[in-house]
Amino acid sequence: MADLSKNSLSENRPRLRTLENNEGERHASWLELFFDLVFVLAVATIAKILAEHSDWAGIAKYIALFIPIWWTWIGFTFYADRFESEEKTYRILVFAGMFAVAVLALSLKDSFTQQGDFSFVICYVGVRLVLVVLYIRSAYYVPIARSMSLRYIAGFSIAIAFWLISLLVPPPYRYAFWAIAVVVELASPFFNVRNINTLPIDFGHIPERFGLFTIIVLGEVIVATATGVAGTVWNFAALMTAFTGFAMATAIWWINFDFVEDTAIRSDSLASRFVYLYGHFFIVASIVVIGIGVEHAVIEAGKGESHLHLPTLALLGGGIAFFLAAITAIKLASENCSLMYARLATVAVSLLFIFIGQFVPPLVAIAGFFLLLAIGVYLEDRFGEIAAADEEHLLPCRHADEMQIFEPRSTDGCEECIINNYKWVHLRLCTSCGHVGCCDSSKYKHATKHFHEDDHPIISSLEPGENWAWCYADEKFVPLMQTFENRNKENIE
């Protein structure tokens, strides 16, 4: 077989790895796990800010800071899901992102002050610039992901501009620019709907990554709570409150990891995917809130208070309510309506406990909150349902049976381009007849023209290292029945 790779780029580059069907089950890489560690510092700093200022202003600051930290993690995680590679340039850029996140974490405490705003904005812009550079590389090296990458670059660049402009505006108007920048970033996926819908993610890898971040938050909250209560008076009430608070953490872990399915992220519906994505923020943010509520409850019990203070009750009741509401929303997005009314009732009771808790001893109040979570575990285990999901991130289309030909009809390149002495960029193989045409990045787009003329729905890439197929009729990537390497091997034999 003739060499068809004369126009291909080096293999040491970003690749759209979610189109590769020969990797098997994918797990978080060592680099991803290393990357997660810098967020331990960020979560700890944010938790400390909430612990020291648990009034409405403190809660508002906590939310305002947690959103960009969480969104930073989301941005790098979804990039790695599609484009992670073992190349040195990628690793260096990820290390740069890690350093930027670590410095950003150190700037969080002084944010929303005249002195600290500059450091916070510059550090956050640095983090976003690393991600922009990563997407510039994917736009250059991965043509089929170029449109998606360019849209993210545009969205992030607009947000960066708002962040930088905010430094020229005095408080409190400065924070309006921050809000606009965050909204632009959070809305970026909505302006990329078509590309997100066609370019797949790994349905096993993303839920695992979300779970790992949740574990980081749970672990850091336990550490922060233990540190915060280190100087308390350990009487019976304080000890039992601490024990009950830890039991609440185990119940939260149980509910999240045993009873929250990942069907929504695997759905063809983008609405369901977005509910899963943004619902994750409310899950992890509420876990921090609950943990700080437990810390305050232990301290107040140790002081012999007759009841928990209202801010502490608000942290506990509000945190549990948001946690359960987020889980309910994700289950509804997974088309799982079992126990919906029971969960909603639990949300309502947890909010009601904010007021009831002002009239009962601290230990009784926190026991009531734990009981709500324990009942949730029991109900989910006894009566709940987990929606079934397809394991593969690429599913066959309606025309999969028409994939018959895996050997190119032309061994020299695009058939029409050869006749007319045109140049092409990449080559595509029609799996119905073996026609070889040029891709949509080429001037004449002969592969697409072949589909419109002969109605042959599925093409596959003929580029080395690219093992994917595209259905024109259904506008989706589909599993390739035979890899490029196997085709080459069979042709050589």
Side-chain angles (χ1 to χ4, degrees), residues 147-149 151-152 187-197:
S147 176
M148 181 189 73
S149 298
R151 286 177 180 269
Y152 277 134
S188 294
F190 293 95
F191 295 101
N192 223 340
V193 166
R194 186 180 184 278
N195 293 306
I196 291 174
N197 198 36

Side-chain angles (χ1 to χ4, degrees), residues 177-235:
F177 282 85
W178 291 13
I180 294 172
V182 169
V183 169
V184 170
E185 291 192 24
L186 293 176
S188 294
F190 293 95
F191 295 101
N192 223 340
V193 166
R194 186 180 184 278
N195 293 306
I196 291 174
N197 198 36
T198 55
L199 296 175
I201 59 174
D202 192 301
F203 293 148
H205 179 247
I206 287 296
E208 181 187 71
R209 297 293 291 125
F210 276 37
L212 288 172
F213 190 77
T214 305
I215 286 291
I216 287 174
V217 172
L218 266 172
E220 184 51 44
V221 166
I222 291 175
V223 172
T225 301
T227 302
V229 302
T232 193
V233 178
W234 287 104
N235 53 31

Side-chain angles (χ1 to χ4, degrees), residues 110-371:
D110 294 328
S111 60
F112 290 96
T113 65
Q114 187 65 36
Q115 297 77 18
D117 284 351
F118 179 83
S119 298
F120 170 72
V121 170
I122 294 301
C123 291
Y124 186 69
V125 167
V127 172
R128 304 313 287 171
L129 283 174
V130 173
L131 191 59
V132 167
V133 171
L134 286 170
Y135 272 111
I136 289 174
R137 299 187 75 244
S138 66
Y140 179 77
Y141 286 109
V142 190
I144 57 177
R146 184 165 296 150
S147 176
M148 181 189 73
S149 298
L150 291 176
R151 286 177 180 269
Y152 277 134
I153 292 169
F156 297 155
S157 298
I158 292 171
I160 287 172
F162 276 105
W163 282 108
L164 293 176
I165 292 172
S166 74
L167 295 178
L168 305 177
V169 181
Y173 306 106
R174 171 181 298 164
Y175 307 128
F177 282 85
W178 291 13
I180 294 172
V182 169
V183 169
V184 170
E185 291 192 24
L186 293 176
S188 294
F190 293 95
F191 295 101
N192 223 340
V193 166
R194 186 180 184 278
N195 293 306
I196 291 174
N197 198 36
T198 55
L199 296 175
I201 59 174
D202 192 301
F203 293 148
H205 179 247
I206 287 296
E208 181 187 71
R209 297 293 291 125
F210 276 37
L212 288 172
F213 190 77
T214 305
I215 286 291
I216 287 174
V217 172
L218 266 172
E220 184 51 44
V221 166
I222 291 175
V223 172
T225 301
T227 302
V229 302
T232 193
V233 178
W234 287 104
N235 53 31
F236 176 79
L239 183 62
M240 293 306 299
T241 300
F243 174 79
T244 308
F246 180 78
M248 289 172 61
T250 63
I252 289 170
W253 175 89
W254 203 327
I255 292 173
N256 185 75
F257 288 98
D258 266 17
F259 308 124
V260 181
E261 61 268 78
D262 51 26
T263 311
I265 196 67
R266 303 167 184 263
S267 172
D268 289 333
S269 168
L270 280 179
S272 297
R273 295 189 195 180
F274 285 144
V275 169
Y276 184 92
L277 169 62
Y278 295 102
H280 179 254
F281 168 78
F282 292 99
I283 288 176
V284 293
S286 62
I287 289 174
V288 175
V289 171
I290 295 168
I292 300 305
V294 170
E295 175 187 331
H296 288 185
V298 173
I299 294 173
E300 291 165 18
K303 291 180 178 179
E305 301 281 357
S306 60
H307 59 79
L308 296 179
H309 299 169
L310 182 58
T312 302
L313 292 166
L315 291 174
L316 291 168
I320 292 173
F322 274 100
F323 174 77
L324 296 175
I327 288 175
T328 301
I330 291 173
K331 282 188 166 291
L332 289 176
S334 302
E335 299 182 355
N336 184 350
C337 298
S338 66
L339 295 178
M340 182 182 67
Y341 294 112
R343 294 191 201 95
L344 292 177
T346 307
V347 169
V349 173
S350 65
L351 293 175
L352 182 61
F353 269 27
I354 296 175
F355 303 97
I356 296 176
Q358 299 177 73
F359 305 101
V360 297
L363 185 56
V364 174
I366 198 168
F369 286 120
F370 166 69
L371 186 61

